[in-house]
Amino acid sequence: MTCGTKNTLFNLTFDLTDARNLYYFNPMQLLSGVTGILYAKTVCANSCPAGPSVCAATDLPCSSGSQFTCPYYRYAEDALYGRIPGVDIADTTYWAELAYVTNISDANIASVLSKLKGLGSVFADQVTKLEANMSGAYYQLQSQIPGNGPCYPNLFETVEFFNRCFPKFPENVTSALVSTASGVAKQLSNNSLVQDFANNWDSSAQKWGRYVGDISKGILVIVVGGLLGGLILSLIWLLILRFLGGFMVWIAIIFVNLCAIAACLFTWVKAGYIGDQQVAKSILDALPVDINPAESEEKTWFWIAIGTSIFAGITLLVTLLCISRIKIAVACVKVASQAVGAMPTIIFFPLLPFIFEVGLVIYWVAVTALLYSAGDLTAHCRPADSSTSASLNFKQYANVSNLKSTYNTVTNFDLNAAVANAVNNSINGLLNGTSSAALNGTRDVCYANVSTDARALLCGRDPDCYLSYDWNNNLKYAFIYHFFGLLWTNQVIIGFTYVTIAGAIAHFYWSRGDSANMPTFPILTALKNTVIYHMGSICFGALIIAIIQFIRALLEYLDRKTKELQAQNKFAEWAMCIVKCCMKCLEWIVKFINRNAYIMIAIKGKGYCCAAMDAIALIISNIGRIAVVNMVASVLIFLGKVSVASVAGVIAYAMTEAKYYTSPEQYPETYLYSPVLVIAISVIAAYAIAEIFFAVYEMAIDTIILAFCDDCNHGGPKFAPPLLMEVMGKTAIPEPAAKAEKA
């Protein structure tokens, strides 16, 4: 069965649309690791048992139907199907309805009642009533014993995690079960299983699970601190750049130079060359820790000091030599701010490609899930001599578990007979001619000799068997095609975004910074031009990057598959490392070319190849200008992203310090086990939002500088906005002449 959907088995439809959560009948099997999870028997439940729906081991016998979970009624144990009126075939909560059964069909009634009576207390009273008047309460009483069925008590409170009901194991669960179920097995309470429970509770996996559980509790922190805070802070930063762009550029440049000089002085102090002078003493006194190095380390620090000195010198020299180009960079930043200010809605344009990306991811994940779950339904049986056969189960805790003589040991348990009794008693006429022989699968061949439906039923009831869909080669090839489609489509969306933004900014540049000369709706105009004229070029450029990324993915796969070979052959390891590094560098180069080619496509309207050649020629002939502008813009944008994320983190931290999140007594529903993950997600969300907004600003700067360089290559900047003209010491040409030149 697949939870949350409609399922068909033997031409019967099981509507599990509302039953979205997977519940484990025997949650202690989960303590056996992956193996326990594979073989654990499950059922789809509407909700995960918690609170009043839990029948704790100390509460047995329980009397509420909500405290029990049963197998699907159509395949109920003890051949119950057809004997309880009004129960749906997919129902799993019919414990209360067991009392309505009138014809009790169990050859072992006397033995079961005798053992139940031996438990004394309430059990003895209920057995006495049954002996006087046998009724369906027999099945209810029998279900009280863990592992007996036909229904099973919800012994542990569970929490929903990715549509699975995972139990909260208390540290004393073993001793609690033992003392409740059987007084003769108290020696089990101090065995190694108790320590295993405690270790499991304190394991990193359990802690990580509690961290993840804090996400839903701290959703308000994430929304306010991460999403809303990131949005507002990004807009504030862009507003600051709009009016103080030049000032911030010079502050950033001075800051970088001061950091380089400070690093230089620090390393010379560590090298021991600065230490006796008064200035050095002041430096050492100002530092919070003692940094006097050992003599053996002074030589190492000497070479580090030489390196930092060279870096500081080059940084200062480049700053002094590039004053004129820095002025151009400052002007480009200011013009980009003006362009964004002239069409402020462009800041929100990335929301459109963001929606496309979300749609792509949802589509890709959905198709991947369909591919992953497709294939041939295969049963996997646990080997008889497997070391995992003794998984944790209820029989380890009480000698009253599995009371029926036919279920006392695995060797006496006839699976085929049990399934045939459970299924075929009332199945005649409902399976459209399917005979009981169709269910007569044998475990020797792991149910490979029966139909798919019979395999699902037989293996699903076998505690030493689990089902999976095994892929075939056709599905593997389909997934490769599907994965390449993800890479290509993602790059198409990125290219679409670049060309549209560059086209809108180009309108501002070629209009000489005058919004009156721009189209009424520059963004819509750029969007129309992109869709109608440039999608072919975008798809071609995206294809090149997608092919490179696909090759890199194949190399990563090959790298993982050849780890043992590489460990034996250093040459193979080095060769793989070199090839991967070269492909990474190639991807960086092609992405850089693509980005600038997309800008030239938007500026000139040429095809991809011509635009890429023009972009490369412009970059080579104006390498100094473009390098300085890109460096300044990158530092400025990076500082903005880090600032937004940092402030958002501070806001999130301040919110998590409120009593609403720190008091488990007053606010147990919102108490955070640890605020770390909530704050981290808030910071990541704020950084992602800043990335979206600043991408527009970054693209605007790149478009302005490339348009400016292209303008300069045609006899000087004739269409540049006034700020750029001022930096170049030129005056704007008259409007008629400009229009004639542009034409």
Side-chain angles (χ1 to χ4, degrees), residues 335-385:
V335 171
S337 300
Q338 290 178 343
V340 172
M343 47 184 119
T345 52
I346 197 173
I347 293 177
F348 298 97
F349 171 75
L351 292 177
L352 178 61
F354 176 74
I355 293 172
F356 290 160
E357 289 283 5
V358 170
L360 172 64
V361 170
I362 293 174
Y363 163 79
W364 193 84
V365 170
V367 174
T368 300
L370 292 174
L371 286 174
Y372 183 77
S373 61
D376 303 319
L377 186 66
T378 308
H380 301 270
C381 294
R382 181 157 35 197
D385 58 348

Side-chain angles (χ1 to χ4, degrees), residues 14-338:
F14 293 77
D15 189 356
L16 303 175
T17 306
D18 296 328
R20 298 180 177 273
N21 299 296
L22 196 68
Y23 175 75
Y24 297 88
F25 279 124
N26 182 1
M28 280 179 288
Q29 283 185 292
L30 304 185
L31 297 178
S32 300
V34 176
T35 303
I37 294 177
L38 287 175
Y39 291 102
K41 298 310 165 187
T42 58
V43 69
C44 298
N46 289 24
S47 60
C48 294
S53 297
V54 175
C55 176
T58 54
D59 297 334
L60 293 171
C62 297
S63 57
S64 172
S66 64
Q67 295 174 308
F68 293 83
T69 302
C70 317
Y72 301 114
Y73 176 58
R74 182 61 188 82
Y75 304 111
E77 298 175 12
D78 297 288
L80 288 172
Y81 179 71
R83 296 159 62 190
I84 308 176
V87 180
D88 184 75
I89 61 172
D91 196 352
T92 60
T93 57
Y94 49 84
W95 180 87
E97 284 75 15
L98 292 175
Y100 301 145
V101 178
T102 55
N103 51 334
I104 310 302
S105 57
D106 188 349
N108 301 293
I109 290 179
S111 174
V112 173
L113 291 181
S114 174
K115 292 181 178 180
L116 284 170
K117 197 171 187 178
L119 294 175
S121 186
V122 179
F123 287 98
D125 295 339
Q126 293 190 8
V127 170
T128 302
K129 293 178 181 178
L130 283 174
E131 288 175 337
N133 182 21
M134 184 58 61
S135 67
Y138 166 76
Y139 294 113
Q140 291 182 328
L141 183 60
Q142 179 180 289
S143 298
Q144 299 283 347
I145 306 302
N148 243 41
C151 296
Y152 301 88
N154 305 323
L155 294 177
F156 305 106
E157 185 172 356
T158 57
V159 290
E160 188 270 325
F161 183 62
F162 288 123
N163 294 114
R164 281 162 173 75
C165 300
F166 285 105
K168 292 182 177 179
F169 287 117
E171 293 182 16
N172 62 344
V173 61
T174 308
S175 57
L177 267 175
V178 170
S179 61
T180 302
S182 175
V184 299
K186 288 183 179 179
Q187 64 272 19
L188 292 178
S189 61
N190 295 318
N191 70 356
S192 60
L193 287 175
V194 178
Q195 189 60 43
D196 290 341
F197 278 117
N199 293 340
N200 184 274
W201 178 253
D202 291 327
S203 66
S204 57
Q206 288 282 348
K207 289 179 180 178
W208 178 249
R210 293 195 286 274
Y211 284 149
V212 174
D214 284 337
I215 295 176
S216 59
K217 298 179 181 178
I219 191 66
L220 182 63
V221 176
I222 297 173
V223 171
V224 175
L227 299 179
L228 190 59
L231 175 64
I232 295 174
L233 291 169
S234 297
L235 293 176
I236 291 174
W237 186 268
L238 291 178
L239 191 64
I240 293 173
L241 286 181
R242 172 72 176 84
F243 297 102
L244 300 173
F247 174 75
M248 295 187 67
V249 168
W250 286 111
I251 288 294
I253 292 171
I254 293 172
F255 176 75
V256 170
N257 278 274
L258 289 177
C259 288
I261 295 171
C264 173
L265 292 174
F266 176 80
T267 52
W268 280 113
V269 170
K270 291 285 285 183
Y273 281 80
I274 300 178
D276 297 329
Q277 296 86 352
Q278 187 63 37
V279 175
K281 289 181 179 180
S282 301
I283 295 173
L284 291 172
D285 292 339
L287 294 173
V289 293
D290 183 14
I291 62 168
N292 290 319
E295 291 184 5
S296 59
E297 297 181 359
E298 288 184 352
K299 191 172 183 179
T300 302
W301 279 103
F302 170 75
W303 292 108
I304 296 175
I306 291 177
T308 56
S309 299
I310 293 173
F311 175 77
I314 292 175
T315 302
L316 183 60
L317 184 62
V318 169
T319 302
L320 295 175
L321 293 177
C322 295
I323 291 294
S324 60
R325 289 187 172 90
I326 291 175
K327 290 181 179 179
I328 295 176
V330 172
C332 286
V333 170
K334 289 182 176 180
V335 171
S337 300
Q338 290 178 343

Side-chain angles (χ1 to χ4, degrees), residues 636-698:
L636 208 58
I637 297 298
F638 177 74
L639 289 176
K641 294 175 185 176
V642 171
S643 299
V644 169
S646 300
V647 176
V650 172
I651 295 173
Y653 172 76
M655 291 182 66
T656 57
E657 286 297 297
K659 202 171 185 180
Y660 188 66
Y661 295 105
T662 58
S663 176
E665 294 81 13
Q666 289 184 305
Y667 304 100
E669 296 298 324
T670 56
Y671 170 72
L672 298 178
Y673 173 78
S674 172
V676 172
L677 192 59
V678 174
I679 295 174
I681 292 177
S682 299
V683 171
I684 294 171
Y687 189 88
I689 290 176
E691 189 87 51
I692 293 173
F693 281 94
F694 290 154
V696 175
Y697 202 86
E698 201 170 7

Side-chain angles (χ1 to χ4, degrees), residues 404-486:
K404 298 180 186 178
S405 59
T406 54
Y407 292 171
N408 277 339
T409 62
V410 176
T411 55
N412 292 333
F413 177 60
D414 186 348
L415 175 69
N416 289 330
V419 172
N421 289 334
V423 175
N424 291 326
N425 282 350
S426 303
I427 206 170
N428 294 334
L430 293 177
L431 299 185
N432 296 329
T434 301
S435 66
S436 60
L439 290 170
N440 192 22
T442 59
R443 198 174 184 281
D444 294 337
V445 292
C446 201
Y447 312 112
N449 60 332
V450 294
S451 65
T452 301
D453 282 355
R455 187 179 305 121
L457 181 62
L458 291 167
C459 182
R461 297 291 295 270
D462 188 344
D464 291 317
C465 180
Y466 72 90
L467 295 161
S468 69
Y469 282 92
D470 292 350
W471 277 17
N472 54 44
N473 287 332
N474 291 334
L475 288 172
K476 292 178 181 178
Y477 297 144
F479 180 78
I480 292 173
Y481 170 81
H482 183 52
F483 176 69
F484 183 78
L486 171 70

